[in-house]
Amino acid sequence: MKPSSSSSSSRLLEITVISGENLLDNRKQPVKKNAFVNIKAESSTCNGQTTKMDKEGGSFPMWNEKLIVALPMHARHLTMEVQCKASSGIKTVGIAKVPTSDFTGGFLPEDYLHFLSYRLRDGKGEKNGIINFSLRVKNAPPQSSQSAGCAAAYSRQWTTAPVGMRSSYNSSSGVVTGIPVYPGSLSGNITNLMVNKF
């Protein structure tokens, strides 16, 4: 169900929740099944949007589910919370807060399709898995000819995103990087890497 917020007061985000990686229950045992994702905007009065459960994926769930989320214009971040259903109830695996500056502003138009990966943190702030997703703004204002030209030139570097997109993780620095898919001849020009260092 689409949110009812008007386009004048909020951005409508089209978010495809792709997959999770290395999800642990209490940072000890791999999540066995029934993982799902809640997405909510900062300061939002609605309950957000939720994916279906992946009943088979365990600690590497696959959702590939598209959701529409209303993001208030003043919001500074988007919250993605991975949970799982166990016999004892609903457990939170980890949360990622995505700054809106990661997908708005800059030289790319707001309706550009971003592929992102973020480190999840549990209730104690400890690392606990990764979430992979794509995002674009559906009700973005018309782009200028200059930004359209930049986006067109940039888009030629891409082919298609894999369904099971995996992220690059440097264990020494704790950096999770979203990896774009591009022809090998353009491997020296990666301008849209979205890096979560938090």
Side-chain angles (χ1 to χ4, degrees):
M1 181 175 66
K2 293 185 179 181
S4 60
S5 300
S6 67
S7 59
S8 61
S9 60
S10 65
R11 296 180 175 94
L12 288 181
L13 305 181
E14 180 182 272
I15 301 173
T16 300
V17 185
I18 300 173
S19 63
E21 302 179 34
N22 297 317
L23 305 183
L24 300 179
D25 185 357
N26 293 323
R27 292 185 290 121
K28 296 178 180 179
Q29 301 294 328
V31 170
K32 295 181 179 180
K33 59 182 179 179
N34 296 337
F36 60 98
V37 182
N38 291 317
I39 304 177
K40 188 174 182 180
E42 176 194 29
S43 304
S44 176
T45 57
C46 68
N47 294 324
Q49 300 291 315
T50 303
T51 67
K52 296 177 182 178
M53 290 184 186
D54 182 343
K55 298 181 179 180
E56 305 293 336
S59 61
F60 286 81
M62 299 285 292
W63 298 287
N64 295 311
E65 185 172 346
K66 186 178 294 184
L67 302 174
I68 303 299
V69 178
L71 180 74
M73 296 299 290
H74 63 273
R76 294 172 297 177
H77 65 260
L78 183 73
T79 299
M80 307 191 73
E81 181 178 13
V82 179
Q83 297 182 309
C84 67
K85 183 179 180 181
S87 58
S88 58
I90 302 297
K91 295 182 177 180
T92 295
V93 177
I95 296 174
K97 290 190 176 182
V98 182
T100 57
S101 57
D102 279 6
F103 53 86
T104 60
F107 71 92
L108 292 174
E110 286 197 354
D111 62 353
Y112 192 80
L113 181 61
H114 301 270
F115 287 89
L116 307 170
S117 293
Y118 271 82
R119 169 66 64 190
L120 296 167
R121 303 274 180 174
D122 64 14
K124 296 181 179 179
E126 300 292 335
K127 301 173 183 177
N128 194 21
I130 296 168
I131 185 168
N132 304 311
F133 60 98
S134 68
L135 181 153
R136 74 180 182 92
V137 180
K138 283 182 62 69
N139 61 337
Q143 61 190 28
S144 66
S145 58
Q146 181 178 6
S147 63
C150 289
Y154 180 75
S155 296
R156 285 194 291 269
Q157 299 178 20
W158 286 72
T159 53
T160 183
V163 173
M165 184 184 70
R166 289 294 181 245
S167 59
S168 172
Y169 173 55
N170 181 332
S171 59
S172 63
S173 62
V175 174
V176 179
T177 308
I179 303 298
V181 181
Y182 48 87
S185 61
L186 295 172
S187 61
N189 185 16
I190 306 176
T191 56
N192 195 34
L193 290 181
M194 305 303 294
V195 181
N196 171 25
K197 298 181 180 179
F198 302 100

